[in-house]
Amino acid sequence: MTAWLVRGVQLVLLASLAGLWETASRLGWVDPKLLPPLTQIVGVLFTLLQDDRFRGDLLITLGEIAAALAVVGPLGFAAGFFLGEHRALYRALSPALHLLLAIPKSIFLPIFIFAFGIGFLQKLVFAVTLAFFIVVLNGIAAAQSVPAGLVTAARSFGATRGQIYLRIYLPAMEPLILEGLRMALIFTITGVLLAEMYGAPRGIGRLIFAWGEMFRMPELFAGVLLIVAVTIAANELIRFIEDIRRSRRRGF
Amino acid sequence: MSIAASARPEKGDIITAEHVSKVFGSGTQALRALVDVTFSVREGQFVTIVGPSGCGKSTLLLILAGLVPASSGRVLVDGQPVSGPSPEKISVMFQDAWLLPWKTAIENVEFPLTLRKVPAAVRRPRAMSLLDLVGLARSADRYPGELSGGMKQRVAIARCLVQEPRVLLMDEPFAALDEQNRTRMGNELLRIWERTGRTVVFVTHGLTEAIYLADRVFVMGVRPGRIIESFSVELPRPRSIDMIGSESFGRLRNRIWHLIGEERG
């Protein structure tokens, strides 16, 4: 299947789903109070996006996500890279790492609120904590993905340590770094929204939670739709960059 | 065929190994990979090192290249002791071409010069002429992913030559190729060697290849790794495939085969 055909099929599926949703809601196959028609939801979303306060909430949420990404990305990757390069240390810490990854961190939200309140900082810390371990694992994999033979060959024609890191490691790790960015994005978005839903003065997560409590389904779905759209857009952007970079390598 | 094993470095020797030993690990678990390896290579010669698996020939090559330190003894290149990689004097090739997958063939060839910050106007034509030498001028802008194994190795040869080293060390570079390609690459290598006049030290576990290519063959033994004997190959140059069927070739091959067979036990 060519890329265009795949894309075509995806769009057709999406359109069919949207059509089904709309029909089911309008014709009463599902209770429209529970599942409003898609067109209505989109209309509500447009209205919300004109509202200053809503845009303010959106900006706050996006700001928290961006800040969390800016912290957990370099920090997590550096830690992972260091572990990947020092096998003995990695072997020692590996069980603990995987254990911490497996623990559902959302159950610690009350503790985070206790320690950091319900403001920007708490959202940041929680999202970073949620994404940290997956980025570390990604950093480890990235370090281990650099073929030792490539490094030996570079050494043999006189590459310095710095040159090896800059000109061999970095390009070699690029696919995994981009993958790690994608995963960090997913986890920071989840973390921020979760923390906001649990307790926050502002933010999309808080709005979605509040709308749910007030049983304002069109608004709730509008918020959810927005988050889904933002997530997909960011994801696809990184995928697009990955594809471009991969086609350059041709067979790596 | 005469047997010659020179040990003392003489004028005109470009590489000398003096009592090189390599031990991995320590105590009761120490592995003596190489013990008291001593030999010399005259500049301009093509020598091969042949031996059974595990005899340490790859380790020896890495030590000659300065990539791995010897546990004792030393290596002299052009009279100077080796303490690390010396890219202006020594180039190394491995079984895998180890080209950078994100760079084109020509970018790979000029990579050692890029590291040295040689300007593009100087390094590009040099790289191009080397690609031409190995017959890949038309593939200059291809990526390694688009090249066959043999082509990749040829790019690797060009890359090895770009800094105009005195010595080319090669660790079973054609082992991953099929027999046809291996023979072709062997002839290619001889042609390039004759054109450029470098010294070549070629490690292989193929007896025929070792004798066919070389002026001298060093035979290594295993457990511990050491040089048991060396042979001069008196066949005329340029070599041709039918020499392999000749009686003298066969006799030398048998000699070495038995030598290695005794070693393997």
Side-chain angles (χ1 to χ4, degrees), chain B:
Chain B
M1 307 282 172
S2 57
I3 304 160
S6 77
R8 256 191 346 264
E10 300 163 25
K11 195 171 184 311
D13 285 342
I14 183 93
I15 280 199
T16 307
E18 291 179 346
H19 307 291
V20 167
S21 296
K22 182 68 182 173
V23 181
F24 291 106
S26 58
T28 44
Q29 309 205 292
L31 174 71
R32 296 191 305 161
L34 295 169
V35 166
D36 200 16
V37 170
T38 300
F39 68 97
S40 281
V41 179
R42 185 132 278 168
E43 182 154 24
Q45 273 193 327
F46 194 122
V47 314
T48 55
I49 302 178
V50 70
S53 303
C55 67
K57 47 193 195 294
S58 292
T59 308
L60 177 58
L61 206 76
L62 289 173
I63 292 175
L64 292 177
L67 291 168
V68 164
S71 303
S72 64
R74 63 177 187 166
V75 175
L76 297 170
V77 170
D78 206 15
Q80 305 291 95
V82 164
S83 56
S86 24
E88 346 60 60
K89 292 198 205 149
I90 301 178
S91 272
V92 196
M93 249 189 82
F94 304 93
Q95 194 166 318
D96 195 302
W98 291 123
L99 301 177
L100 305 183
W102 54 85
K103 285 187 179 285
T104 60
I106 189 146
E107 287 170 346
N108 264 290
V109 174
E110 58 180 23
F111 187 63
L113 298 179
T114 314
L115 289 177
R116 292 265 148 310
K117 313 229 196 300
V118 172
V122 175
R123 60 176 200 244
R124 194 38 76 108
R126 183 128 52 115
M128 200 58 208
S129 75
L130 282 169
L131 271 180
D132 192 44
L133 178 68
V134 302
L136 286 176
R138 274 175 307 156
S139 305
D141 292 321
R142 297 254 191 103
Y143 285 93
E146 302 169 285
L147 303 173
S148 71
M151 290 165 90
K152 281 194 278 210
Q153 284 295 36
R154 281 190 277 159
V155 176
I157 293 175
R159 183 177 66 182
C160 274
L161 293 169
V162 83
Q163 289 186 96
E164 301 187 330
R166 308 273 286 281
V167 185
L168 239 60
L169 301 176
M170 307 177 101
D171 187 3
E172 308 202 55
F174 310 141
L177 306 175
D178 62 88
E179 181 158 5
Q180 295 271 57
N181 272 311
R182 214 179 311 148
T183 317
R184 232 163 25 104
M185 287 300 299
N187 282 321
E188 269 295 288
L189 183 60
L190 285 179
R191 183 183 62 86
I192 294 166
W193 168 67
E194 270 150 22
R195 275 276 292 272
T196 58
R198 317 275 159 199
T199 311
V200 177
V201 179
F202 188 100
V203 167
T204 178
H205 63 253
L207 295 190
T208 307
E209 192 177 40
I211 300 170
Y212 181 73
L213 297 172
D215 295 318
R216 279 185 79 200
V217 180
F218 290 96
V219 182
M220 282 189 74
V222 72
R223 273 188 302 277
R226 71 211 182 283
I227 300 202
I228 352 176
E229 235 182 295
S230 73
F231 299 88
S232 275
V233 180
E234 308 283 352
L235 295 166
R237 290 208 187 264
R239 300 279 163 88
S240 67
I241 300 290
D242 22 291
M243 290 180 188
I244 297 179
S246 75
E247 216 196 307
S248 48
F249 194 103
R251 263 188 284 123
L252 180 56
R253 195 180 184 282
N254 280 333
R255 279 293 298 278
I256 301 180
W257 172 259
H258 285 300
L259 217 53
I260 293 180
E262 281 155 25
E263 272 300 301
R264 258 198 282 248

